[in-house]
Amino acid sequence: MGQATPEAGRACHGYAVAAIRSAQGGECDAVVAAPHTETAVNAAGIAFDGYPNLVATVTGTAPEKVFLMLVSPYYRIVNVTLHEPLRTAIGRLTTDLVDSAIGAALDAMARFGLERPSVGVCGLNPHAGEGGLFGTEDETIIAPAVARWAERGHDVTGPHPADSVLAKRAHDVYLVMYHDQGHIPFKVTSPHAGVAMSVGTPVLFSSVAHGSAYDIAGTGRADAGALSNAVLLIAEQFRAKNGG
């Protein structure tokens, strides 16, 4: 108990794959997954960096089209990059990747019944680069993707300084460029109520936004609130998708 073992990792991976395939086959409408431990799954010899890429692989969706969306009473946040070294994440940013993430965010909001949501896109650099003073990625990579969607008539703005735009909480959904840019404000405001969704795939898939809590295994102190929220969120999305 409370240990990351290859056996547990293999089982976790197997359960998730079976559930996703059941959804694909019409045996169920959606999937809600419990917390995973990437260390355990990789210890079983299975390359695994989180649920979004697993859902992409099983459904045959291009990985660059699938993203993690965090949902809480305070935020909806889509991560353009996720579980990878920060240096790698920054190097992988392209206008097309940001464009795809915006599209996935808009599709997810439509499933919530929001047909014209406001999307706030966070910049990569401090102050969103401040006109190139603190980096050029905001102007050369992020801004063109924002412009594409704005030109199509969508309420997409940015890149904004991440700290100020997230503090205002004035948008329906946000795009962040790397893991901690979104996870830190999200978990500070909702440490136990957050839900994580894989968006951009044909399967409705939700999980919790926290880890496996091995440190309290066997103590009776675990809180299932986030998992309950994940079930409710999927039910809400399914009702919206099917007109109630």
Side-chain angles (χ1 to χ4, degrees):
M1 184 178 292
Q3 300 294 319
T5 66
E7 293 80 9
R10 188 174 298 109
C12 169
H13 181 268
Y15 298 149
V17 170
I20 296 165
R21 287 177 176 161
S22 292
Q24 281 186 291
E27 298 171 29
C28 62
D29 296 317
V31 177
V32 177
H36 62 68
T37 303
E38 289 155 3
T39 299
V41 180
N42 281 276
I46 302 169
F48 178 72
D49 63 358
Y51 284 137
N53 273 344
L54 178 63
V55 181
T57 299
V58 177
T59 61
T61 307
E64 63 272 15
K65 300 292 184 181
V66 182
F67 304 90
L68 179 75
M69 183 170 77
L70 302 171
V71 181
S72 79
Y74 300 97
Y75 290 114
R76 299 184 188 99
I77 298 176
V78 173
N79 295 254
V80 177
T81 66
L82 192 59
H83 296 131
E84 55 191 299
L86 186 55
R87 188 188 303 274
T88 304
I90 293 172
R92 201 164 62 82
L93 279 180
T94 64
T95 298
D96 286 343
L97 185 63
V98 177
D99 182 292
S100 294
I102 294 172
L106 290 168
D107 287 344
M109 290 299 95
R111 283 180 167 179
F112 279 109
L114 296 173
E115 295 299 333
R116 196 176 188 279
S118 61
V119 183
V121 179
C122 295
L124 171 68
N125 296 300
H127 307 176
E130 198 160 315
L133 184 63
F134 302 134
T136 60
E137 293 88 352
D138 298 279
E139 293 182 347
T140 61
I141 295 175
I142 302 171
V146 172
R148 288 179 187 175
W149 286 100
E151 288 167 1
R152 297 169 191 158
H154 294 276
D155 185 7
V156 181
T157 60
H160 302 285
D163 52 355
S164 60
V165 74
L166 289 168
K168 291 177 182 176
R169 300 182 194 168
H171 293 80
D172 294 311
V173 61
Y174 297 89
L175 227 69
V176 297
M177 296 301 119
Y178 57 91
H179 183 281
D180 284 8
Q181 189 179 53
H183 278 66
I184 290 174
F186 183 84
K187 292 186 177 179
V188 165
T189 54
S190 296
H192 303 297
V195 173
M197 298 192 65
S198 297
V199 297
T201 77
V203 170
L204 286 173
F205 187 100
S206 181
S207 183
V208 296
H210 60 67
S212 300
Y214 279 4
D215 56 320
I216 60 170
T219 66
R221 292 161 47 206
D223 183 348
L227 192 60
S228 296
N229 288 340
V231 174
L232 292 172
L233 179 70
I234 280 290
E236 176 186 336
Q237 276 219 329
F238 191 77
R239 282 196 299 270
K241 181 181 180 182
N242 292 276

